[in-house]
Amino acid sequence: MSDSVTETGARAPAQAAVPGPEAPADSPSGPADDPSAPAPLNVPRTPTGDADVDAALERLADADHLATDGHIEVYEDVHRGLRDALTALDARPGPPAPTGHRTTTPR
């Protein structure tokens, strides 16, 4: 029942939903005001001094420009980079580990 009855009793034709022109991007109701649009979190990232860790943390800025469903890829990539940086710390050569045995020298 798409027709409605007016005050005079005559039926008015149903109004078809005709899409209007899209709002320009710089208008107040344009895409910039879309609450579901990606918005930067502006979380400060303090450099650590470790190039690998700093690069991984800077990668987090990429999530600022993605919709929420795109964040997981960035977070997984950052997690992988941080895990690799920690693994590299374990692989670095260091001083020999103590053996637990006292070494005696012949007299």
Side-chain angles (χ1 to χ4, degrees):
M1 307 243 155
S2 60
D3 292 339
S4 62
V5 178
T6 63
E7 256 183 50
T8 61
R11 290 190 170 259
Q15 294 182 2
V18 179
E22 292 186 23
D26 59 347
S27 74
S29 63
D33 291 337
D34 181 6
S36 64
L41 296 175
N42 296 323
V43 175
R45 287 175 291 278
T46 306
T48 65
D50 184 292
D52 293 333
V53 172
D54 291 342
L57 294 177
E58 282 303 313
R59 172 84 165 97
L60 287 172
D62 293 344
D64 287 348
H65 309 289
L66 299 173
T68 306
D69 60 350
H71 290 189
I72 190 73
E73 182 180 338
V74 173
Y75 296 155
E76 287 176 345
D77 187 41
V78 170
H79 182 255
R80 190 177 314 109
L82 293 174
R83 189 178 54 230
D84 291 348
L86 286 173
T87 302
L89 289 174
D90 289 340
R92 288 185 186 161
T99 60
H101 299 280
R102 292 181 60 170
T103 311
T104 58
T105 54
R107 295 186 178 194

